Each structure stands twice: as C-alpha cells, then as structure tokens.
Amino acid sequence: MIWNETKECMSRDEMTVLQSARLVKTVDRVYHNVPFYRKKMQQLGIEPGDIRGIEDLPKLPFTTKNDLRDNYPFGLFAVPQSEIVRVHASSGTTGKATVVGYTRRDLDIWSECVARALSMAGITREDIIQVAYGYGLFTGGLGAHGGAEKLGAMVVPMSTGNTKKLTTMMKDFGVTAIACTPSYLLHIAETLEEEGDIPHIKLKAAVCGAEPWTENMRKQIENKLHINAHDIYGLSEVMGPGVACDCRFHKGLHVYEDHFLPEIIDPDTLKPMQAGETGELVFTTITKEGLPLLRYRTRDLTSIDYAACECGRTLARISRFKGRSDDMLIIRGVNVFPSQIEAALLEMGETTPHYMMVVDRVNNLDTLEVQVEVEERFFSDEIKELEKLTKKIATVIQHAIGLAVKVKLVEPKSIERSMGKAVHVIDKRKLV
Ligand code: DLL
C-alpha cells in the first residue's frame, strides 16, 4: 500500500527531529550561498545559529513570487550554474517569468515525491500511465513523467493538445492510469462517452491537479470513468507537482513533510495560525539544493490537520484549496495575472487600459475572452482596420500570457467602472 513507509508513517516527534535537522542545514546554506537571504536575515538581526529547529521558523523572513521576479532569472539559486541540470518557469505577476532551477539530486527527490504520490493513488510498476499535462517549461508534464518512470510504470508522454490521439492510444495500449488537469480529464471522459468508448478502456486511476477543483467534480470523474481520481498539488517555485497528494480516504492531501515544511499564516497579519484554521499556505523547502526557499508564500488558502490518517500515514494533511489570497487565475492550467494583460495593453498604446477578462468553461475546456475599450475613432474606421487591431491585440496578449485569447473591442466607457477596487475578471466557470 505504502511506497515509502519509513518516511510516511513516522511519529510526529521523529518528523520534528528530521525537519529540524534539515531546516538548520538549509538556513545555513542559503545564508552563505544566496546574498538575497543573507541580506534579509541580517535586516532581521538573525544569524544561522539562531535557528535550532522548526520552533524557530517564525523568526525567518518570507519569500514571495515578486522576490523571484526581482532576482530574475537565476539570482536566488544556491549552487553554481554548472550544478543546475534543468530549469522550469511559470508566470510572474507582470512580464517576467519566475524561473526555477534543479540540481541532479533535486530532480531525483522530485521524482521520488511524485512516485510516492502516484503510489498513493494505487499506481504501480504494472501500470501504463498517460501523462497529459503540458511538457515544457510548465512543471506538470516532465514532473509527472519523472515520477512515473521512477515508480517503474510504462509512461506514455502524451502532453496536451491531441485528445483524439490520446483516447485512441488509451484504448489500443490498455492505459490504466492518467495524469492531467481535472478539467481536461472531464473533457476526455466526455469524448470517450460520445464515442461509446467507456466500456473499451482499462483506466483505473487518475492523478489530477494544477488547478482548483471540487469534491463533486472528483466524484463526477470517478462515476463517468469508473476509476479512482486523486488530487495532486504542487507549485513550480517549491518543486512542481508532488508536494502533496490525497490517499484513498480523500480526507485532505498528505504533504511530503520530509521535504517541504508547511505553515499556515494569516495573509494580512502574517502571523502563524493554528491547525484547523484557514489561512495562507507557506512552505520552507528543507532538502532542495538549486533553489531552496524560506517561508515561500504560496497564496493558496487552506487549513492543516496533523492527526494520523485512516490510511496509516502520519504526514500532515492540507484541506482542498479554498481559493487564493491574490488575483491569479488558472486558465487551462496556465497561471494568469490580470496585471499581465494590463501591462501588455498599456505597452501597445492604441487602447485604453480598461479591459475585462471573461473566463468560461465550454465542453470542460476553459476559454478566455478579453474585452478591450478602444477609442471612438476606431469604430468609424473601416471594418478591416478594426479586424487588424483585434488581431494585433490578441497576438500581444497571447505573447504576454502564453494562452490563445478571443479579443472583443468595445466602445469607450462601455466597461463598467468600479467605485472601489477595479473589477477585471468575470469568471463564469462553475466548478461542479
Ligand atoms: O501547477 C504544478 C502542478 C502540475 C501541480 C501538475 C499538480 C499537477 P504552477 O504552474 O506553479 O505549478 O501553479 C501552482 O496551481 O499555487 C495552486 O494555486 C494551483 N494548484 C496546483 N495544484 C492544485 C490542486 C503547478 N491540486 C498553482 N488544487 C498553485 C488546487 C492547485 N490548486
């Protein structure tokens, strides 16, 4: 049942000892190897010797996505560049991506965490698994791939984008497991249903994540496909997929605490919160070499439970996510900040900065329409000119966020003005 029993079932005291030893080493390493952290710790008047165990965690400085952006691309790496064997990247709040780097050992530990997560979902070396997260700079594809190979399963590296080929191979190869976003799996399920193919597949398990979903959606997927669907969580800054995953009891996601030290803080006061209280999830990586992070603010809202689980694991569990404490949207698995669109429009100069993002879900696939106000004069122009401008804006936005968008030009003052905080997003997706 359990892939790595010694690590997943240790007592709280044993875990605290292990985490404390790893934290002390991490703090020492970042203090000496990363000028950003040395400066931050000096500003707070602390030295590595002041951190003796996890009880000292609140003394340490926080790290944010902006800190990664400000140190773009490699400024927070804690090893010489020659030790880095892979980079991934995800969206930053404005133009610049956040870049993450891995040493060979980091990749091994990442694969081990994902393998443990797949094993939690009942997947073994006997399985044939389709990895249908995007391959490339996004951590989903290559992250899930590494874990599935480590487990010894037969991996079919599908990536995203060709559902017909995916369903054909699923049938022909006798695929038994799949890793993809939950919305994509629902889309796959509907495609199989339409083609009358559900009785012809051998699928038994799915490991879905990278975007928010509900318990209802999980059950819907399970019922449609007659499988067990598991929730896998992660973020590129901390590693990628495989930071936490839920077991067959589905009562929260077990965090791989032997590598990632979780905390819950109040996002306004930044004070630590008690177990059971909902707040922002913060991680300190305690084994990473390439990009170790102290108290990284994930912006994901959840609560934590330290009670042992019915499955026998003692790893702390985080509850299904309750949203984010910033305005980041996840559209087709891509992280998008409204500010990226604003920055792109302002740079173009031909539009006003008034825009509205309309996010919807059609056939279980996310769509994004951006309504942009343009000056009156454009509407008196020839239709060809309008079309040209629409295309140009779509290209500029696509370039900025890495997602194809539909652009609709609207007349001046037609986007509702807000009296308070501007509203830039209408999210019509109903998470069933
Ligand atoms: O989405 C890593 C990943 C890939 C996780 C494949 C799981 C599966 P990022 O692109 O950096 O990394 O986005 C991280 O996605 O902070 C959450 O807001 C959201 N997220 C990831 N997994 C889940 C989940 C990957 N299971 C951001 N439930 C995170 C809800 C999730 N939100």
Side-chain angles (χ1 to χ4, degrees):
M1 172 188 83
I2 292 162
W3 197 73
N4 198 330
E5 194 158 341
T6 45
K7 287 177 186 152
E8 308 209 356
C9 303
M10 58 174 74
S11 73
R12 258 313 356 121
D13 284 350
E14 284 169 331
M15 182 59 85
T16 302
V17 170
L18 178 74
Q19 289 174 328
S20 293
R22 289 181 170 180
L23 176 67
V24 168
K25 268 195 186 162
T26 299
V27 171
D28 191 65
R29 192 144 28 88
V30 297
Y31 186 86
H32 290 105
N33 296 354
V34 188
F36 165 83
Y37 279 123
R38 185 160 53 247
K39 196 166 154 207
K40 275 212 161 191
M41 285 173 64
Q42 281 167 348
Q43 279 166 354
L44 291 172
I46 41 170
E47 289 187 1
D50 297 330
I51 307 300
R52 297 203 185 89
I54 61 168
E55 66 283 2
D56 293 321
L57 202 53
K59 293 182 186 163
L60 291 168
F62 289 104
T63 313
T64 63
K65 209 175 177 76
N66 265 344
D67 292 328
L68 274 109
R69 193 172 60 91
D70 292 345
N71 289 282
Y72 174 88
F74 306 144
L76 295 187
F77 289 6
V79 294
Q81 196 209 300
S82 56
E83 304 268 313
I84 298 286
V85 297
R86 164 112 59 91
V87 291
H88 283 281
S90 74
S91 336
T93 42
T94 53
K96 276 184 193 156
T98 51
V99 181
V100 294
Y102 305 77
T103 63
R104 162 65 36 216
R105 184 167 170 267
D106 290 337
L107 289 186
D108 286 345
I109 290 178
W110 185 10
S111 296
E112 182 197 306
C113 289
V114 175
R116 282 161 71 177
L118 297 177
S119 159
M120 221 184 260
I123 299 167
T124 69
R125 63 193 307 275
E126 304 301 326
D127 282 295
I128 302 177
I129 179 167
Q130 275 179 321
V131 176
Y133 289 114
Y135 279 64
L137 287 174
F138 175 53
T139 53
L142 285 165
H145 185 109
E149 275 190 357
K150 178 97 174 177
L151 192 63
M154 183 198 283
V155 190
V156 188
M158 292 304 308
S159 195
T160 50
N162 194 337
T163 311
K164 184 81 199 91
K165 199 181 226 172
L166 184 147
T167 53
T168 304
M169 288 186 171
M170 187 180 271
K171 280 181 295 173
D172 294 351
F173 295 2
V175 165
T176 51
I178 188 163
C180 63
T181 62
S183 55
Y184 190 41
L185 189 52
L186 259 188
H187 179 71
I188 292 167
E190 284 184 355
T191 309
L192 287 163
E193 228 171 18
E194 274 161 25
E195 291 166 359
D197 275 336
I198 303 263
H200 305 127
I201 57 166
K202 294 205 175 123
L203 204 65
K204 61 167 200 187
V207 186
C208 299
E211 64 183 12
W213 55 319
T214 58
E215 187 56 21
N216 265 345
M217 190 160 160
R218 199 182 64 74
K219 292 209 170 111
Q220 202 180 334
I221 288 173
E222 289 195 333
N223 292 339
K224 265 188 197 295
L225 291 168
H226 315 295
I227 61 166
N228 291 316
H230 290 256
D231 193 0
I232 186 167
Y233 168 78
L235 62 164
S236 37
E237 294 85 346
V238 169
M239 182 180 72
V243 172
C245 189
D246 67 350
C247 66
R248 66 198 161 96
F249 291 96
H250 304 293
K251 290 189 179 155
L253 289 79
H254 290 281
V255 177
Y256 292 119
E257 284 184 89
D258 42 330
H259 298 290
F260 315 105
L261 191 52
E263 286 176 273
I264 303 288
I265 61 156
D266 180 320
D268 298 321
T269 65
L270 307 185
K271 294 265 177 292
M273 294 176 85
Q274 299 295 314
E277 289 180 334
T278 297
E280 185 180 324
L281 181 61
V282 168
F283 278 114
T284 300
T285 66
I286 49 176
T287 50
K288 267 176 76 185
E289 293 178 336
L291 180 65
L293 294 179
L294 298 184
R295 305 189 84 197
Y296 183 73
R297 294 188 58 186
T298 66
R299 297 290 185 169
D300 293 315
L301 300 175
T302 183
S303 58
I304 199 158
D305 182 354
Y306 288 98
C309 178
E310 288 164 75
C311 72
R313 289 182 182 83
T314 51
L315 295 173
R317 281 166 290 159
I318 45 176
S319 65
R320 202 175 260 288
F321 292 93
K322 298 181 175 74
R324 290 184 53 90
S325 66
D326 63 4
D327 56 358
M328 187 179 94
L329 294 157
I330 302 181
I331 304 170
R332 289 194 179 206
V334 177
N335 302 346
V336 180
F337 291 92
S339 54
Q340 290 175 288
I341 293 192
E342 192 165 307
L345 291 177
L346 283 170
E347 206 162 295
M348 267 189 75
E350 282 156 289
T351 69
T352 71
H354 297 292
Y355 67 96
M356 183 67 81
M357 299 165 66
V358 183
V359 193
D360 207 348
R361 192 163 276 178
V362 181
N363 293 333
N364 294 308
L365 292 180
D366 296 338
T367 59
L368 171 61
E369 177 183 277
V370 183
Q371 300 173 354
V372 185
E373 274 187 18
V374 286
E375 289 165 21
E376 189 71 57
R377 65 185 165 93
F378 283 104
F379 288 94
S380 49
D381 278 350
E382 280 187 39
I383 193 96
K384 252 193 178 157
E385 289 302 308
L386 268 183
E387 278 171 7
K388 225 165 101 188
L389 182 62
T390 309
K391 231 175 163 177
K392 187 171 169 195
I393 297 175
T395 310
V396 168
I397 296 179
Q398 179 167 355
H399 187 71
I401 64 173
L403 257 186
V405 294
K406 188 175 158 215
V407 167
K408 187 174 163 194
L409 300 185
V410 295
E411 296 190 16
K413 303 214 167 63
S414 58
I415 290 175
E416 206 178 318
R417 303 295 192 256
S418 157
M419 300 290 279
K421 215 165 129 62
V423 178
H424 288 302
V425 181
I426 299 172
D427 198 339
K428 295 180 172 170
R429 290 175 294 189
K430 280 192 199 79
L431 292 172
V432 282

